[in-house]
Amino acid sequence: MSNVKIRLLEPKDDKALASLIRSVLVEMGVPKVGTAYEDESLNRMYDTYNYSGMRYYVVEEKGEIVGGAGIAPLQGETSDYICELQKMYFLPVTRGKGIGYKMIQTCLSYAKEQGYTKCYLETMPYMQAARKLYQKVGFVSLEKPIGNTGHYSCQAWMIKEL
């Protein structure tokens, strides 16, 4: 893990990141419709997250992007104080090394700095390792989604007080 660094997304990362996210979604058997797979923003992540209150981080190892995650305001939510942990995906070689935990801490630290008081996320019920990690950092399950992410195929929702 000594060669791994978390850094801010740069414009040059867009193509590699879009490919990484889509490959992980396919690996996990996530539907292509109603999930991040079909988000138009995947092809222009730098532009998507280049706004106030939004930030995306990538994990880089030996010059290659091996994961990423971001924070943005929760779409469709009337409160300005709820953000969403978005597009957190890692290649298999990266998993199980504590990098996901560090990434979540990095994202939540940024969210707190921005004045968010809650962080929401959506995932799939069968993604047990991810859900276990989210619970470890204090996310709790919700019975139904909040906001309007457009990810209607995601059937597990969680939130955390910041």
Side-chain angles (χ1 to χ4, degrees), residues 54-70:
M54 301 175 75
R55 187 165 284 174
Y56 198 90
Y57 299 92
V58 294
V59 178
E60 186 178 78
E61 183 174 25
K62 299 178 184 171
E64 299 292 323
I65 295 175
V66 295

Side-chain angles (χ1 to χ4, degrees), residues 16 19 26-27 32 37 54 58-59 64 80 91 101 123 141 151 154 156 161:
S19 177
V26 168
E27 172 203 348
K32 292 180 179 178
Y37 190 94
M54 301 175 75
V58 294
V59 178
E64 299 292 323
D80 290 337
L91 291 178
Y101 181 83
T123 188
S141 295
H151 297 158
C154 294
E161 298 279 337

Side-chain angles (χ1 to χ4, degrees), residues 20-146:
L20 179 147
I21 291 172
R22 287 190 174 107
S23 72
V24 171
L25 288 168
V26 168
E27 172 203 348
M28 296 288 176
V30 174
K32 292 180 179 178
V33 177
T35 66
Y37 190 94
E38 69 177 356
D39 286 356
E40 292 180 29
S41 65
L42 278 188
N43 297 319
R44 49 183 173 72
M45 293 284 282
Y46 180 81
D47 291 339
T48 298
Y49 285 89
N50 196 19
Y51 291 94
S52 178
M54 301 175 75
R55 187 165 284 174
Y56 198 90
Y57 299 92
V58 294
V59 178
E60 186 178 78
E61 183 174 25
K62 299 178 184 171
E64 299 292 323
I65 295 175
V66 295
I71 290 288
L74 178 58
Q75 293 293 316
E77 180 55 42
T78 56
S79 169
D80 290 337
Y81 305 106
I82 301 177
C83 64
E84 182 183 11
L85 179 64
Q86 297 181 335
K87 295 175 177 61
M88 185 165 147
Y89 299 103
F90 299 95
L91 291 178
V93 68
T94 310
R95 298 177 200 151
K97 298 179 179 177
I99 297 167
Y101 181 83
K102 286 179 77 173
M103 177 64 87
I104 289 176
Q105 295 304 328
T106 300
C107 288
L108 295 179
S109 178
Y110 171 76
K112 289 176 192 176
E113 289 171 12
Q114 297 302 300
Y116 293 114
T117 59
K118 294 180 182 179
C119 186
Y120 172 77
L121 65 82
E122 295 177 331
T123 188
M124 303 303 273
Y126 57 83
M127 291 185 171
Q128 295 300 326
R131 291 173 51 125
K132 184 177 177 181
L133 175 59
Y134 300 142
Q135 289 170 339
K136 179 179 178 180
V137 297
F139 280 88
V140 295
S141 295
L142 295 170
E143 291 190 21
K144 61 182 182 177
I146 61 174

